[in-house]
Amino acid sequence: MRGQITVRRAAGFAAAAAMCPYLLVKVSWIVQELARGTGEWVLLNAVTVVMALAGIGLGLAVAQPWGMRLPGRLVLPVLWVAGGLLVSMLPYVAAAALLVPSVPEPADEPSSETTLIGVAFTGMAVALVVGLPLYVRERWQRAFTGRVGRDAAGRRTWWILPPVAALAALWAYWAAGGTAGLARTPDLDARLLLANSALGAACAGWSLWALSRRSSPLWPPMTLGFITSGSLFSWAAWKLAWLLVPGLYQPVEHLGVALIEHVTAMATGLALLGVLVGTYRRRSAVDLKSG
């Protein structure tokens, strides 16, 4: 137990430290834009500054004793979004490093700055992969110990599987080179992102299936479900927000397809999170009665 606490604290501090270069780069971009009198991307960069500060705070909360005393309703949404946005991207990062050729950096974005951003995101994601499960397992043990048991999700949650399967199939189809529903042909990097999304949706579906089986170990579907539900919701919400601002974001999909896709992903992410929370509450209630 003491060793796990040491690892958790080290991972939390590493996550906070990894995000500091990203924060500095984004602040410098805002200052430069304001100095030049061009504010096209100030709002977006300001949002990412807030996200970076939240990421640093999350890392410190994972590392420090006071993080265990924070209200669950305050810390869980941050854990959910951070895990969904960052941890879910590790398969893509690994694949892109091997398959996507490097391209020259734009003149107004020095390579040192973009390298710092990439290192920051990768470093924080890797640290969270280690630190978040230890933090959550230590604080909410009933959600990850034992087997699913008699509190299995059961038939009442099967309605979530069709939209999750549809998203996984659609993203896999586009990643494999399909073009129906697309406004333009995605490049290799975009196809790897789509493949990563398809993998996440497939893992979300597997988590739901595993939670319906009473003999299944609890921690794999709870862990994967937490990360993938956060990924479905958070990335879809992020893209949808910029779709609603004309001219800022041009998706590879046709606009109508993108709107349906992102709303469906947000809804299924929330629904899967509801299943996870319900499973934890039922187990807690059973343990209280038996105690």
Side-chain angles (χ1 to χ4, degrees):
M1 185 65 178
R2 188 179 296 274
Q4 290 184 5
I5 293 175
T6 300
V7 172
R8 170 176 59 78
R9 297 194 66 188
F13 283 128
M19 190 51 56
C20 288
Y22 177 83
L23 175 63
L24 293 176
V25 169
K26 288 295 185 174
V27 170
S28 71
W29 285 0
I30 292 175
V31 172
Q32 292 171 20
E33 282 197 72
L34 294 176
R36 292 196 299 259
T38 58
E40 295 180 5
W41 295 98
V42 168
L43 177 59
L44 175 59
N45 286 325
V47 171
T48 55
V49 164
V50 173
M51 293 172 62
L53 289 172
I56 292 171
L58 173 62
L60 295 177
V62 168
Q64 297 280 46
W66 54 261
M68 289 292 177
R69 299 190 295 271
L70 290 173
R73 292 183 179 181
L74 174 64
V75 70
L76 267 178
V78 179
L79 292 173
W80 187 56
V81 171
L85 287 175
L86 296 175
V87 177
S88 65
M89 294 299 290
L90 285 178
Y92 159 77
V93 171
L98 295 173
L99 300 176
V100 178
S102 58
V103 296
E105 300 292 342
D108 59 344
E109 295 183 12
S111 59
S112 59
E113 292 183 349
T114 53
T115 299
L116 279 176
I117 291 175
V119 169
F121 268 104
T122 304
M124 185 169 189
V126 171
L128 289 180
V129 165
V130 177
L132 283 187
L134 293 176
Y135 176 89
V136 175
R137 185 183 178 92
E138 187 175 339
R139 187 164 179 182
W140 293 282
Q141 293 185 13
R142 291 188 186 95
F144 299 93
T145 55
R147 293 182 175 272
V148 174
R150 60 183 177 181
D151 47 35
R155 294 182 179 179
R156 61 184 175 276
T157 61
W158 282 106
W159 66 269
I160 306 174
L161 275 178
V164 172
L167 288 171
L170 179 65
W171 290 330
Y173 165 72
W174 285 338
T179 58
L182 298 182
R184 53 189 172 88
T185 303
D187 58 15
L188 176 59
D189 188 63
R191 289 169 60 189
L192 287 177
L193 285 169
L194 289 165
N196 192 79
S197 297
L199 175 63
C203 289
W206 176 85
S207 299
L208 182 64
W209 173 82
L211 287 173
S212 70
R213 296 173 59 84
R214 295 186 178 185
S215 61
S216 174
L218 188 62
W219 71 266
M222 290 293 281
T223 302
L224 268 180
F226 189 76
I227 293 171
T228 55
S229 63
S231 178
L232 284 168
F233 176 84
S234 301
W235 280 111
W238 175 259
K239 294 174 182 178
L240 184 62
W242 294 106
L243 271 180
L244 299 179
V245 182
L248 281 185
Y249 173 60
Q250 297 297 327
V252 295
E253 311 96 327
H254 291 294
L255 180 59
V257 174
L259 289 173
I260 295 173
E261 170 194 354
H262 299 327
V263 170
T264 302
M266 290 174 63
T268 52
L270 284 172
L272 179 53
L273 178 64
V275 173
L276 303 179
V277 172
T279 299
Y280 172 73
R281 287 177 175 172
R282 287 191 298 274
R283 289 178 62 83
S284 299
V286 169
D287 289 346
L288 287 175
K289 289 179 181 178
S290 61

